[in-house]
Amino acid sequence: MRIDVLTIFPDYFRGPFDVSLLGRARRGGPLDLHVHDLRAYTSDRHRTVDDLPYGGGAGMVMKPEPFFEAVETLFGSVPARPRTVLFTPRGRRLDQRLVADLAGEPLLLLCGRYEGIDERVHAGLATDELSVGDYVLAGGEAAACILVEAVTRLLPGALGNIDSAAEESFTEGLLEYPQYTRPATYRGMAVPDVLLSGDHGAVARWRRERALEHTRRTRPDLFAAWRARSDLDDGS
């Protein structure tokens, strides 16, 4: 999977993209990742990427020209361009279903800063507008890291165990069940007996019950959505 990131701070990604899962996936793995400096596509000696907003207001707005120049230089005409993601508070909320939809496709991630990006970039370049949550970040770089890691985990060969991605939180709309490892007892806290029983059927039922319990208790919104989908699947 190829992912390109367009940013005014390419150094931001040197740590996150070079270690752990992403680092392994880039080194001979399933991820082909490229980071581009937006300032390289400016036309003035100051490498200007922002200007005052029309109509007045606080802060600066990122100019459209560098974004269009970068995308057209890197990818050419519209049919040849990858799916282009712009991070914005008004975008669709990123969730595991959307991550699964994006995984495997070529992606171009546009990282904004300041008060935002000129609306003509939204209209003329972005195929998808995404938000990683109802809070404000300094720029799109952190959101890009989140998306890159989330989609990479779903690529064949990225994880050591192929079952890891299938059994974790949000995969079917529920939170994951509790996990335990050695020792069996620590500071008076014991691993549930069922996990030590060797009865795989009982373990599966326990995990399912705990997943439902945790989701219902801590994320009632997820539980309600899961139950509504389950009712539809059952025809009820």
Side-chain angles (χ1 to χ4, degrees):
M1 177 180 182
R2 174 161 177 153
I3 301 178
D4 290 83
V5 181
L6 193 56
T7 173
I8 61 172
F9 295 120
D11 289 347
Y12 184 102
F13 298 100
R14 286 189 178 175
F17 285 176
D18 293 334
V19 299
S20 189
L21 171 74
L22 295 181
R24 291 195 304 270
R26 295 181 74 185
R27 294 188 294 270
L31 180 62
D32 183 19
L33 183 60
H34 303 264
V35 179
H36 308 276
D37 187 352
L38 183 67
R39 293 188 188 277
Y41 300 93
T42 56
S43 57
D44 66 306
R45 65 187 181 92
H46 298 294
R47 304 175 76 198
T48 305
V49 295
D50 62 316
D51 208 333
L52 295 169
Y54 278 121
M60 305 290 278
V61 175
M62 297 193 77
K63 295 165 62 66
E65 302 99 299
F67 284 98
F68 278 88
E69 185 66 26
V71 173
E72 290 168 358
T73 300
L74 291 169
F75 302 104
S77 60
V78 173
R81 294 177 192 167
R83 193 165 174 177
T84 302
V85 174
L86 192 154
F87 298 103
T88 168
R90 75 187 192 198
R92 176 181 171 185
R93 178 82 68 86
L94 185 66
D95 58 21
Q96 193 65 20
R97 290 189 172 212
L98 180 52
V99 168
D101 179 55
L102 295 171
E105 289 195 55
L107 297 178
L108 170 60
L109 312 182
L110 307 181
C111 299
R113 282 268 161 176
Y114 314 125
E115 289 300 308
I117 300 175
D118 187 289
E119 183 65 22
R120 288 164 288 190
V121 177
H122 292 254
L125 293 178
T127 60
D128 297 82
E129 296 188 346
L130 303 183
S131 168
V132 295
D134 294 341
Y135 45 84
V136 178
L137 299 169
E141 287 78 14
C145 287
I146 290 171
L147 180 57
V148 171
E149 183 163 314
V151 298
T152 299
R153 297 185 79 261
L154 299 184
L155 299 180
L159 296 177
N161 187 334
I162 194 171
D163 293 330
S164 295
E167 295 183 356
E168 60 196 6
S169 293
F170 306 114
T171 300
E172 61 168 327
L174 298 173
L175 300 180
E176 193 176 11
Y177 48 80
Q179 298 278 14
Y180 295 87
T181 188
R182 293 181 178 87
T185 301
Y186 181 70
R187 298 194 177 189
M189 295 177 285
V191 174
D193 290 339
V194 65
L195 299 181
L196 308 175
S197 68
D199 185 335
H200 298 298
V203 169
R205 288 190 295 273
W206 180 89
R207 286 176 169 173
R208 182 68 171 181
E209 290 167 1
R210 297 292 81 72
L212 288 166
E213 176 188 334
H214 279 295
T215 307
R216 182 171 55 247
R217 177 167 49 85
T218 65
R219 288 293 304 273
D221 56 324
L222 285 179
F223 184 77
W226 172 84
R227 186 165 60 181
R229 287 194 300 271
S230 299
D231 290 343
L232 288 174
D233 293 340
D234 292 341
S236 55

